[in-house]
Amino acid sequence: MANATVVEMLDYVRPVRLERGRTSIAQVLHTAVSMAESKARRGDVEVELAVPEDLPAIQGDEHQLCQVFTNLVINAFEAMNGQGRIRISAWAGTVEQEHTQRGDGLACVPMLIVEIADDGPGIPDELKDRVFNAFFTTKAQGSGLGLAIVRKIIDAHDGRIDVTSSSGQGTRFTVTLPVSAGDEWFQ
């Protein structure tokens, strides 16, 4: 087993309890970058934030979302060994979802999309399918719970997280979050 702390293990096994409120993703991302810089060696990594301040607020847990994006930025810092560039961008969009309560077709659901892309070494193809698995790590001092907890928090927000990566070409995590909590979508 990896070097998981008791706190990390508890975070992984206990259910995510969200304290939802109107949350500014722009503010969350700015805070996450600051927190990541205080927890990991940034070196000469350039961080570019392309996040409009006027994005719609979402119904989310600001603390939990900050944990998500802090973890993703820390992982990028660590993967890049002090050299390279991280681009964090966010925008509003929609996805089509089926009306399950009324059964009358598809509805466009407002979403926020956040991408964290780096130009680091990328994730080897044989490891991409395992990065969100609990206790999987490639780090000597890693617990293997960081991305598993990230996925759990995103799932609790009725969102999704995807990763695209090519060895030697960098990694991109895409987080899609509903503007409203799931039970409000169809009211």
Side-chain angles (χ1 to χ4, degrees):
M1 184 192 317
N3 300 320
T5 67
V6 172
V7 171
E8 288 171 320
M9 291 194 62
L10 287 174
D11 281 345
Y12 178 70
V13 295
R14 82 176 130 216
V16 176
R17 291 196 176 100
L18 300 179
E19 294 185 26
R20 289 188 195 262
R22 290 186 55 76
T23 302
S24 163
I25 285 295
Q27 181 59 47
V28 166
L29 293 170
H30 286 284
T31 302
V33 169
S34 294
M35 288 179 67
E37 290 172 334
S38 72
K39 294 180 178 188
R41 188 178 76 78
R42 177 177 174 170
D44 291 327
V45 174
E46 176 189 339
V47 177
E48 177 189 345
L49 275 166
V51 181
E53 295 295 327
D54 64 347
L55 287 172
I58 67 167
Q59 288 296 316
D61 185 316
E62 186 172 344
H63 173 73
Q64 299 278 354
L65 290 171
C66 194
Q67 180 180 348
V68 163
F69 295 113
T70 299
N71 185 289
L72 293 173
V73 173
I74 287 172
N75 284 355
F77 284 160
E78 291 174 349
M80 295 172 54
N81 290 318
Q83 298 291 318
R85 182 170 165 236
I86 300 169
R87 185 174 201 289
I88 302 168
S89 52
W91 63 93
T94 59
V95 296
E96 286 187 348
Q97 292 202 340
E98 200 171 322
H99 274 260
T100 55
Q101 290 180 338
R102 292 186 298 207
D104 59 357
L106 298 175
C108 287
V109 178
M111 304 293 260
L112 287 185
I113 299 96
V114 178
E115 279 189 353
I116 298 180
D118 67 57
D119 61 1
I123 301 169
D125 286 338
E126 66 272 11
L127 301 180
K128 271 192 281 193
D129 291 339
R130 299 171 53 198
V131 297
F132 294 108
N133 293 353
F135 306 112
F136 173 76
T137 185
T138 59
K139 301 175 189 175
Q141 299 300 316
S143 68
L145 289 175
L147 289 176
I149 292 169
V150 162
R151 173 169 267 167
K152 189 173 176 181
I153 292 169
I154 295 301
D155 287 348
H157 280 86
D158 298 320
R160 73 178 277 151
I161 183 167
D162 298 291
V163 62
T164 54
S165 185
S166 297
S167 195
Q169 307 254 334
T171 301
R172 175 183 323 251
F173 284 92
T174 304
V175 175
T176 306
L177 295 165
V179 172
S180 297
D183 56 355
E184 297 172 9
W185 289 354
F186 305 115
Q187 291 180 356

